[in-house]
Amino acid sequence: MPERAHIGTHESTIRMRIDLHRKLQHTPDMPALPIAHAVNNSRRHRLRMVDGVELQVEEWGPVDGEPILFCHGFGQTRGAWTNAALHLAKVGHRCVSIDLRGHGDSDWQVGGAYCMDRFRGDLIAVTTWLDQPPILVGASMGGLLGLIAEGEHFGPQLFKALLLVDVTPRWEAAGVERIIDFMRSHPDGFADFDEAAASISAYLPHRSRSKSPERLRQLLVRHGDGRLRWHWDPNLLDMVSGDVERYQPRLFAATRAIRVPMLLVSGTASDVVSNATIEEFLKLAPHARHVSVPKATHMVAGDDNAEFTAQVGAFIASLH
């Protein structure tokens, strides 16, 4: 049975321990170092928020390892990080990946609208559940939540460092609209996994291979009518249909306030971030660094997981 814990969304003080840091090798295929357990066997938890919503959390690696917290993008699940988490767990990190509310195996929102502050509260709650400030790896919406959480936090830092995956405080509207159009395109779901795979291949034509049924099971759930639908609450789209750009002044202010190390990893073929938005971000946070993954789109980790994981490893090594 999953472990259950009651977590409040208040920002509590975290006692930072000084741990022995493990040096990560900057290679696409990071070697597995001997550790005391099999990292392929994950540990799963259910964390209850103060409003009763339960989040699904999955972790790999030693419980006393330096924590890395993965936060997925809008419409994704914790499964987006599994390959990267397995690599990093093998070199001694405690890798924790969450399903945000309304996504994956976490509860859907009941009796209230989805909003950035609810997601921010969930991220802070999971962060305080850990025994020391983690390195946050946030893709798209997950990265924006990291900026707001850290930049608006009073007291000890929430995160040891921030790694933003193809997201900047200002984004290209056309790229975001393309994502939302795809999310809206199949309200009745799919008859089978082959139909779903064909839809994803049309959306991501640069991918050489279609997703296997095993991978698709992480993204889809079968409903009572027998149809397969995405593993997220359709009501999430109401949040995006509003004026999401109203968050940008808040994001700019939060980014300026952040003092922890930051790295932006972008895809050279992304239509969500651009040279202009990257330049603007680096002016807001002059201490931040930027690297790009060749030929990768907005889905950087999925397009080239080996290079993405190597960049994460190199960044973590630089912190030590």
Side-chain angles (χ1 to χ4, degrees):
M1 292 294 293
E3 177 183 341
R4 292 180 178 266
H6 183 83
I7 304 292
T9 57
H10 62 282
E11 301 180 8
S12 60
T13 301
I14 305 172
R15 183 183 299 276
M16 177 181 281
R17 302 180 310 171
I18 300 177
D19 294 334
L20 176 63
H21 298 298
R22 298 168 176 83
K23 185 176 181 180
L24 291 171
Q25 183 175 345
H26 183 194
T27 60
D29 298 312
M30 289 183 284
L33 301 183
I35 54 180
H37 63 282
V39 296
N40 288 337
N41 296 327
S42 65
R43 302 179 297 277
R44 298 185 180 184
H45 314 272
R46 298 287 292 183
L47 304 185
R48 184 184 294 272
M49 304 296 102
V50 293
D51 62 356
V53 169
E54 291 191 354
L55 303 184
Q56 183 70 42
V57 178
E58 188 167 7
E59 63 173 323
W60 301 261
V63 294
D64 61 346
E66 182 180 35
I68 303 174
L69 177 58
F70 293 91
C71 190
H72 62 73
F74 190 77
Q76 293 185 311
T77 71
R78 68 186 190 279
W81 305 110
T82 299
N83 289 336
L86 285 171
H87 276 286
L88 293 164
K90 287 179 181 178
V91 292
H93 286 279
R94 180 187 182 187
C95 295
V96 179
S97 186
I98 64 174
D99 283 338
L100 292 169
R101 64 177 61 207
H103 296 76
D105 294 319
S106 290
D107 289 348
W108 290 6
Q109 184 75 48
V110 177
Y114 291 96
C115 65
M116 289 284 282
D117 282 314
R118 289 184 187 271
F119 290 127
R120 170 182 173 270
D122 292 346
L123 179 61
I124 292 173
V126 177
T127 300
T128 57
W129 173 69
L130 300 169
D131 58 0
Q132 59 178 300
I135 299 165
L136 179 72
V137 179
S140 196
M141 182 180 72
L144 297 180
L145 294 175
L147 290 174
I148 289 178
E150 180 65 35
E152 296 180 349
H153 179 67
F154 296 98
Q157 66 195 51
L158 280 174
F159 307 113
K160 179 176 180 179
L162 290 172
L163 193 151
L164 309 175
V165 186
D166 208 69
V167 66
T168 47
R170 190 192 307 275
W171 48 85
E172 296 295 343
V176 174
E177 191 62 33
R178 188 179 69 88
I179 295 171
I180 301 306
D181 286 345
F182 174 72
M183 295 177 69
R184 293 186 188 277
S185 62
H186 299 279
D188 296 326
F190 307 96
D192 51 36
F193 288 116
D194 289 339
E195 184 180 344
S199 174
I200 295 174
S201 294
Y203 175 65
L204 302 172
H206 61 286
R207 297 274 180 94
S208 58
R209 291 185 297 178
S210 298
K211 287 186 179 292
S212 66
E214 181 179 351
R215 291 295 304 277
L216 287 172
R217 286 189 182 92
Q218 301 175 17
L219 305 175
L220 298 161
V221 60
R222 193 174 297 278
H223 286 234
D225 60 0
R227 304 281 292 180
L228 294 166
R229 291 179 174 83
W230 299 120
H231 217 327
W232 43 264
D233 185 353
N235 290 322
L236 284 164
L237 294 172
D238 293 338
M239 170 183 165
V240 182
S241 64
D243 183 15
V244 294
E245 292 186 359
R246 69 183 184 275
Y247 290 107
Q248 286 183 339
R250 183 176 172 186
L251 285 163
F252 296 156
T255 302
R256 290 190 190 97
I258 293 175
R259 296 294 177 264
V260 301
M262 286 195 288
L263 175 68
L264 168 63
V265 180
S266 67
T268 60
S270 172
D271 58 357
V272 175
V273 304
S274 63
N275 290 336
T277 67
I278 292 170
E279 182 179 351
E280 180 180 53
F281 165 71
L282 294 175
K283 288 180 179 179
L284 292 170
H287 70 288
R289 290 184 286 147
H290 168 243
V291 296
S292 58
V293 176
K295 300 180 181 180
T297 66
H298 185 57
M299 315 295 287
V300 177
D303 287 345
D304 192 342
N305 191 73
E307 177 62 21
F308 168 74
T309 304
Q311 294 292 353
V312 176
F315 176 60
I316 293 173
S318 73
L319 301 177
H320 300 160

